[in-house]
Each structure stands twice: as structure tokens, then as C-alpha cells.
Amino acid sequence: MDRVILHSDANSFYASVEMKYRPELKGKPVAVCGDPAERRGIVVTKNPLAKKYGVLTGEPVHRALEKCPGLILLGGHYDLYHRYSAFLRDIYNSYTDKVEPYGLDEAWMDISKSGYTLKDGERIAHQIRNRVKNELGITVSVGVSFNKVFAKFGSDYKKPDAVTVITRDNYKQVVWPLPVGDLFYVGPQTAAGLAAMNIRTIGDLACCEDWLLDRRFGKCGRMIKDYANGLEDAPVCPADYVSEAKSIGNSTTTPEDIVTFWQARCVLTLLAESVGARLREERQRSGCIAVYARDNAMITHGFQRTVSPKTNITAEIAAFACKMYEERLDTGVPYRGVGITCSMLSGIGEPCQMDLMNSLQKRDKWEKAESAIDAIRVRFGDRSVIRGIVMAGKKLSGMNPREARTVLPGMYYTA
């Protein structure tokens, strides 16, 4: 018997929470934005009225104001959003213990029980929708289907405050006619690659020859074709499940453009401190280091390199990142932000190929020194021990990317 999977997505979540506390904003276009003073002046979310003016999530504030001069800009109150996210989880958990969050405002639920059908899922979806509206004063859209991909598609299909059911009988009529980029796991680059093959709808993808997709996308091509055909069976993880990280990374938007290699070296070292500390915290080493930079046209450029032996030593991560930046990126271009990601992870206890020029004892000594620095920073603060190189730029050295570090689980294909 098919599973009964729900995906709930809070509509314009940040903006909806803000308007709940500021009723005078009702009937006005509103957007929650990053802080322009910190060069994070982009639209994080917008309400439906702002959307009617063409305001887009992720676009610069100045461009949004050109489209909608009367747009009301609000700074984010993330403690409040986390609180409302917890309220949503409480409602979801009252129906099942299999709740898998996807960000603060989205979650999958597996409500499969003996004898349950998608009709029961639709009934519960309406209960959840009404409870969220009555108890929290915001709205959600809920997708109901037999797998996670189509449930997510259903929550996006009709907004706001709606329920969409996608069954084995209707998915070809509902899903297949829409643009291939609407399918979860298909990002802009993949959609562009598919368009170059004249695959423009989800139905085109579903009916494409396997060998064509294999040649262009490798195993990922076959995967997204399966999703287009409803062949997805990933479980909804229980509320207390912690996924194993496939990569660990961090990025930052800098308070001033990076125009020299010494500025880049300062920021990349700060990021390497954060990523290296997390690797050691998770007792992992990385065999692949990637560095990427975003220019003022919001275009991201990135490169990666395998490393041997695998490492979690900050100095080595920083050295590899700086070398790639200097060799592969155009240092004449001003960049507004950079990032480092470490992948191909393995546990510290796992065997690894050693470099003949570096003894095991020497590497062990470096790892112990890094761990000692980590312990000092935990006790006395992240700036209690500072590497000299990060003092090259006064503005840049004041950043603390460790406070905003991110773990990238690598669960979803979004290229």
C-alpha cells in the first residue's frame, strides 16, 4: 500500500510573522530583507502583495524598490521566526513522530497507518491548515502524495492557504505539463542543461531516453527522471533523527569588496578556522576542498581540489583555499563574498593514505595543537586566539564567521 506523505510550507513565513505583530501593515507590500549596512541587502521573503509587483526573493533591495516604490522593508527577527517554527512543529508532531524539517518554514510528515489512504491525508492536511490559521494566525499550503517529491510539489502548486493532492492517477495531468524547473531537486543549472536538450517540461523529462540523460548528467540524470515518474521512496526521518553530514562549509558576505589577494587570504583564513573547527568537532577529515566567490553581479565562481592526505587542519585548509583563489579566480574582479566547503569526509579513526613528506607524528602534533586552540576558544571566546594573517584587513578581521557557520548535508541535488 502507498505511503501517505504530507509537505507543509508556511506562506511568506517571515513576512507573515512580522505582519502578525504589526497589523497596521495589512494591505501593504512588505519584504523582510538583510541588513544593507552589512551588504546583505537582499529580499529574504515578501508578502503576496509585494509579489504582485514582481518583487523576487533573493534580489537586491534597490531592484525591489524600483519595481515597488511603496515597498515596506523590515529587518529580520530570527528569534521570533524560530519560535513560530517550533509552534508549527508542535502541531505537526501531534499527528506523527515522523516529521522531517526542511528549513524553518517547511516540513514533511509521514502519516501512513494501516488502512490510511490519500483521502485521509487530505483530511488531516485540512486539519493542519485550519489549526495553523486559528492557533498561530499565519497560513500554510500542504501537499499530499505518495512520496516526498510530489508532496513538496503539491505544497508549491497552489498558494496560499491551500491543499493539493497528487495521486498515482492524476500526477501525469498535474505535474507533467509544468516547467522542468518546478520539479524539486532540479536547480537552474540543471534546468538550463535540460532545455539545451529540448527537455522543457517535467513530462519531457519523464519520457526522455535514459542514455541521453546519462551522457549529459550521469547518475543524477536518471535520478531526476525517476522523480518525474513518481519513483521516489526516501523515508521521512523521525523528529530526533540527525543526518550524517556529507560536507561542511561556511561562507560570508564581506563588509567591503575583496579587491586584493591579501584581503581574500584574511577572509579565507577566517572561514578555514570555522570549517576546520567543525571538522574536528565532528571528528572528521576532508579529502576535497572547494572555494567559491560571488562578484557584484551576484554570479558565483567556484573550484574544488582533492587533497591527500585528508585533513582537518586549519592551516592546510586555508592554504589550499588561498592557492585555488589565487590560481583560478580573477583577482582583478571585486568580490562581495567568499566561501569554503570541505567534502569527501571520513572519520578520524578511519585509515587514510599518508603523504611521504609529512610524518604521521607531525600531523598528529598539528591536530592536537588545533584541538587545544579550539578548547581555549570555547572557554574564552572565538577571538581569544587570533592568527596574525587575519589582521591584514581591519574591517575584515572583525568578522566572526564561526557564529554563522553552516553544515551542508548534501541530501538534495540542486545544481
Side-chain angles (χ1 to χ4, degrees):
M1 180 176 286
D2 279 337
R3 296 182 298 165
V4 182
I5 308 297
L6 276 57
H7 183 272
S8 179
D9 183 0
N11 305 132
S12 305
F13 181 53
Y14 295 172
S16 295
V17 172
E18 293 288 347
M19 294 177 71
K20 165 85 172 155
Y21 282 82
R22 297 182 61 179
E24 71 274 12
L25 299 178
K26 185 176 180 179
K28 299 178 181 179
V30 173
V32 176
C33 307
D35 185 356
E38 296 183 4
R39 292 161 48 84
R40 293 177 171 86
I42 63 170
V43 175
V44 178
T45 189
K46 72 283 182 189
N47 69 352
L49 189 55
K51 186 176 181 180
K52 288 182 179 179
Y53 283 88
V55 176
L56 302 174
T57 298
E59 74 177 344
V61 168
H62 70 85
R63 195 174 301 159
L65 288 171
E66 289 173 359
K67 296 176 180 178
C68 180
L71 184 66
I72 297 173
L73 305 176
L74 304 175
H77 297 89
Y78 293 97
D79 289 345
L80 188 60
Y81 308 150
H82 277 277
R83 185 148 59 94
Y84 266 74
S85 180
F87 293 156
L88 287 169
R89 302 283 182 273
D90 288 342
I91 292 175
Y92 303 153
N93 288 332
S94 68
Y95 292 94
T96 176
D97 62 346
K98 293 182 179 179
V99 177
E100 181 180 337
Y102 186 63
L104 290 180
D105 58 334
E106 301 182 44
W108 282 282
M109 292 161 273
D110 186 340
I111 60 168
S112 306
K113 291 183 181 179
S114 178
Y116 262 36
T117 67
L118 292 182
K119 281 287 185 185
D120 297 294
E122 183 178 10
R123 172 177 54 81
I124 292 174
H126 280 294
Q127 289 179 9
I128 290 172
R129 182 178 63 82
N130 289 324
R131 283 188 61 184
V132 170
K133 189 191 302 183
N134 295 330
E135 295 176 23
L136 303 183
I138 62 176
T139 64
V140 294
S141 292
V142 186
V144 183
S145 193
F146 53 91
N147 64 47
K148 291 169 69 175
V149 170
F150 283 173
K152 173 72 169 72
F153 187 96
S155 68
D156 292 332
Y157 185 76
K158 193 186 301 181
K159 291 177 178 287
D161 194 20
V163 171
T164 300
V165 182
I166 298 177
T167 69
R168 291 194 184 274
D169 294 327
N170 74 0
Y171 78 86
K172 292 182 181 180
Q173 291 74 38
V174 176
V175 178
W176 280 16
L178 295 175
V180 70
D182 288 356
L183 184 67
F184 194 41
Y185 301 90
V186 177
Q189 293 181 16
T190 303
L194 290 168
M197 300 167 61
N198 204 30
I199 298 172
R200 303 185 184 280
T201 68
I202 298 173
D204 293 339
L205 173 62
C207 299
C208 182
E209 293 286 348
D210 289 343
W211 67 271
L212 286 171
L213 293 169
D214 288 343
R215 185 174 67 180
R216 175 64 177 81
F217 298 103
K219 64 181 181 180
C220 292
R222 194 78 63 92
M223 179 187 77
I224 57 176
K225 177 184 175 179
D226 285 346
Y227 295 160
N229 283 290
L231 303 175
E232 190 270 343
D233 59 1
V236 175
C237 301
D240 58 353
Y241 176 79
V242 179
S243 63
E244 179 183 354
K246 297 296 189 297
S247 62
I248 291 175
N250 202 346
S251 63
T252 187
T253 299
T254 52
E256 63 183 10
D257 282 348
I258 299 173
V259 294
T260 69
F261 174 67
W262 287 102
Q263 288 175 302
R265 191 175 175 189
C266 171
V267 180
L268 289 171
T269 301
L270 283 167
L271 291 170
E273 294 271 21
S274 169
V275 174
R278 185 56 188 264
L279 284 167
R280 295 186 292 274
E281 193 176 295
E282 299 288 336
R283 297 187 58 76
Q284 300 282 325
R285 294 191 182 102
S286 168
C288 181
I289 297 172
V291 62
Y292 47 96
R294 176 171 291 182
D295 60 29
N296 284 317
M298 305 302 285
I299 298 173
T300 300
H301 314 263
F303 303 93
Q304 65 182 26
R305 178 177 295 173
T306 56
V307 298
S308 182
K310 292 188 174 184
T311 186
N312 59 16
I313 297 172
T314 295
E316 290 185 342
I317 296 170
F320 276 111
C322 290
K323 188 173 180 64
M324 279 188 284
Y325 186 99
E326 188 174 27
E327 292 179 351
R328 305 297 299 275
L329 290 166
D330 185 352
T331 53
V333 173
Y335 294 108
R336 62 184 287 115
V338 293
I340 295 175
T341 297
C342 290
S343 57
M344 293 176 57
L345 306 184
S346 61
I348 285 179
E350 298 179 29
C352 66
Q353 179 67 46
M354 297 305 297
D355 183 347
L356 292 176
M357 301 303 293
N358 289 296
S359 69
L360 180 62
Q361 292 81 4
K362 182 177 180 181
R363 296 189 63 80
D364 184 58
K365 180 180 178 181
W366 270 109
E367 287 189 358
K368 287 180 178 178
E370 297 276 14
S371 296
I373 293 172
D374 293 341
I376 292 171
R377 287 174 172 160
V378 167
R379 184 172 181 183
F380 299 105
D382 287 329
R383 297 190 62 78
S384 56
V385 180
I386 302 174
R387 295 177 194 264
I389 188 61
V390 307
M391 304 306 293
K394 292 183 179 179
K395 276 191 176 181
L396 300 174
S397 63
M399 297 188 306
N400 184 6
R402 172 110 171 139
E403 292 179 350
R405 69 188 181 193
T406 57
V407 181
L408 308 176
M411 294 173 61
Y412 306 114
Y413 179 68
T414 57

